[in-house]
Amino acid sequence: MDYDYTSCIEISKSAYRNNIKFIRTQVGPNVTISSVIKGNAYGHGIENTVKIAESVGIRHFSAFSTDEAIRVLKSTTKKSQIMIMGMVENQDLLYLIENGISFYVFELDRLSEAIAASKKLGKKAMIHVELETGFHRTGFEWAEREVLLKLLKDNREHLRFSGLCTHYAGAESVSNSVRTQDQIKHYNDFKNWLNSNDIHFERYHTACSAATFSYPETIMDMVRIGIAQYGFWP
Ligand SMILES: *Cc1c(COP(=O)(O)O)cnc(C)c1O
């Protein structure tokens, strides 16, 4: 015991396994459960969490930064997939592409930089195109759709369209229900428009913990589960 610390968190493998089982019953057998490990795995430690999560079958992790993604890469023993949901620095792009780490793109500059880096390496960048659907944080706006479409179409051979995603604001609160429904509709409209223009993605993913349980139509191909894997309601 190291008494320099005033508190510590214990994580029980059997409890964690039960939580994942419970989430699995909600999403069904074919949906990927991505374990969100940002913020040092919500304080539980990235390395510990990856080990426990992999032992109960998790093979996909969501980080917020390159640093966190590297810690997952160093601790995975199952070649799990790794995705970065936050900002990545241009100087990190080559490393990420080389190591098969996928990342969000939410603005035209970032997309152009990713294309440039993948050309340089001769290896496809694995991108998740984030849509702005009403959270007013990050993501492509509906008004940008034509420019986005052209960039994606013209650079097919340099990109893997790993995902199309968005994030719901405050989906845990009933008072946001109208806004959440609105976001779902915006996402689906944007998705259908891209599909009708022959742009398809490997995974469609939008749901955090709260959306997974409160809005089952947001589950799609993958859910990004942070707080619920640790047994808490958001
Ligand atoms: C944090 C985060 C999640 C997970 O949220 P929880 O409420 O902890 O499940 C999912 N997606 C994105 C983009 C996030 O930033």
Side-chain angles (χ1 to χ4, degrees), residues 12-230:
S12 150
K13 189 165 152 181
S14 63
Y16 184 89
R17 175 185 286 115
N18 273 330
N19 296 344
I20 296 297
K21 258 193 192 164
F22 179 68
I23 295 161
R24 178 59 71 198
T25 60
Q26 173 72 5
V27 303
N30 300 319
V31 170
T32 301
I33 297 174
S34 181
S35 161
V36 176
I37 51 76
K38 69 186 178 196
N40 198 27
Y42 293 48
H44 298 78
I46 288 179
E47 288 75 13
N48 295 331
T49 303
V50 168
K51 191 170 156 197
I52 293 174
E54 288 189 332
S55 79
V56 307
I58 298 289
R59 295 292 182 271
H60 195 289
F61 292 92
S62 297
F64 217 75
S65 64
T66 301
D67 283 358
E68 292 172 345
I70 291 172
R71 286 173 62 189
V72 177
L73 188 65
K74 289 194 169 143
S75 37
T76 176
T77 57
K78 306 284 183 191
K79 300 191 167 67
S80 288
Q81 296 181 315
I82 306 168
M83 173 175 89
I84 300 178
M85 306 184 295
M87 180 71 192
V88 295
E89 301 292 334
N90 288 339
Q91 73 217 32
D92 298 337
L93 287 171
L94 292 176
Y95 175 90
L96 297 176
I97 297 169
E98 243 171 355
N99 286 281
I101 296 174
S102 67
F103 50 90
Y104 276 33
V105 294
F106 38 75
E107 37 151 19
L108 294 167
D109 274 359
R110 177 49 33 107
L111 181 53
S112 304
E113 291 291 338
I115 292 164
S118 91
K119 282 182 183 165
K120 194 167 166 186
L121 274 176
K123 187 173 176 193
K124 288 187 178 191
M126 298 166 70
I127 59 162
H128 298 261
V129 173
E130 186 183 16
L131 303 180
E132 210 303 297
T133 57
F135 191 11
H136 304 300
R137 196 168 64 174
T138 54
F140 288 98
E141 307 268 353
W142 177 242
E144 296 174 290
R145 68 191 178 285
E146 296 288 355
V147 195
L148 172 66
L149 176 68
K150 183 162 171 29
L151 265 178
L152 294 177
K153 272 198 160 159
D154 292 351
N155 293 285
R156 272 183 197 284
E157 78 262 40
H158 304 297
L159 299 170
R160 239 178 92 179
F161 301 154
S162 300
L164 185 72
C165 50
T166 195
H167 190 52
Y168 301 112
E172 66 281 1
S173 166
V174 185
S175 63
N176 291 323
S177 158
V178 171
R179 184 173 62 189
T180 305
Q181 300 289 355
D182 238 43
Q183 284 195 261
I184 296 170
K185 186 181 176 315
H186 269 103
Y187 176 86
N188 283 325
D189 288 348
F190 214 140
K191 166 185 181 283
N192 292 336
W193 185 82
L194 287 166
N195 289 166
S196 70
N197 282 286
D198 200 28
I199 298 291
H200 300 270
F201 294 83
E202 290 165 26
R203 285 190 179 115
Y204 297 90
H205 57 95
T206 66
C208 56
S209 300
T212 299
F213 289 101
S214 300
Y215 304 91
E217 69 271 37
T218 64
I219 292 173
M220 305 181 197
D221 300 310
M222 178 165 85
V223 291
R224 307 183 304 259
I225 301 291
I227 194 75
Q229 72 188 302
Y230 307 110

